[in-house]
Amino acid sequence: MPLIPQIREEDASPEIASIYADIKIVSGLSVVNLIWRHFAVYPGVLPWAWNAASPIVGSTAMESATRWTIETLRLPPIEPIEPEAQRRAHLTPSDVRNIRAVVETYLRGNLINLIALTALKMR
């Protein structure tokens, strides 16, 4: 499977870095999700896509939609990693907290992207 090109935050031009900063502020995330970094590769695509999507991302409707999705989506439970398995994997309590934080960040970011990009596609 070919690697999809991206512009990483540390490699961004000033114009792209400015949009990345706005993405973080508006989304409330500490990272710029991969889809936006992929869009940045193609001239004019990131500014267009972010300009179109940012009002949705920063809206109360987005907050309601993400909350509704989390609260109403019913999936089979996933068993947690037992403390003994965590010890065998050499995971410290700090590691477990960090893993949970990563999952929470991606949960929020991916939900936002799913909704915003669906709206963008509908345009």
Side-chain angles (χ1 to χ4, degrees):
M1 178 177 209
L3 184 64
I4 301 171
Q6 65 168 302
I7 296 179
R8 300 176 317 160
E9 290 184 62
E10 58 269 21
D11 298 331
S13 67
E15 177 191 7
I16 298 298
S18 175
I19 296 170
Y20 284 177
D22 194 51
I23 290 169
K24 289 178 176 182
I25 291 166
V26 174
S27 69
L29 297 170
S30 60
V31 297
V32 176
N33 287 103
L34 197 51
I35 186 73
W36 305 111
R37 298 191 322 255
H38 290 313
F39 283 168
V41 170
Y42 305 100
V45 173
L46 179 64
W48 168 80
W50 181 243
N51 186 53
S54 63
I56 297 163
V57 172
S59 71
T60 57
M62 177 63 77
E63 284 300 319
S64 296
T66 57
R67 190 178 329 91
W68 178 86
T69 303
I70 291 167
E71 292 171 358
T72 61
L73 186 62
R74 300 290 176 233
L75 298 170
I78 297 174
E79 295 297 318
I81 299 174
E82 297 297 325
E84 181 56 34
Q86 291 176 19
R87 281 191 288 283
R88 284 194 311 271
H90 305 288
L91 295 173
T92 67
S94 177
D95 293 334
V96 173
R97 282 191 302 276
N98 290 339
I99 291 166
R100 284 189 178 124
V102 167
V103 170
E104 287 298 319
T105 297
Y106 275 88
L107 171 65
R108 178 169 168 72
N110 288 338
L111 277 174
I112 288 170
N113 288 335
L114 175 68
I115 295 165
L117 296 170
T118 299
L120 189 63
K121 183 177 185 230
M122 293 169 64
R123 289 181 103 176

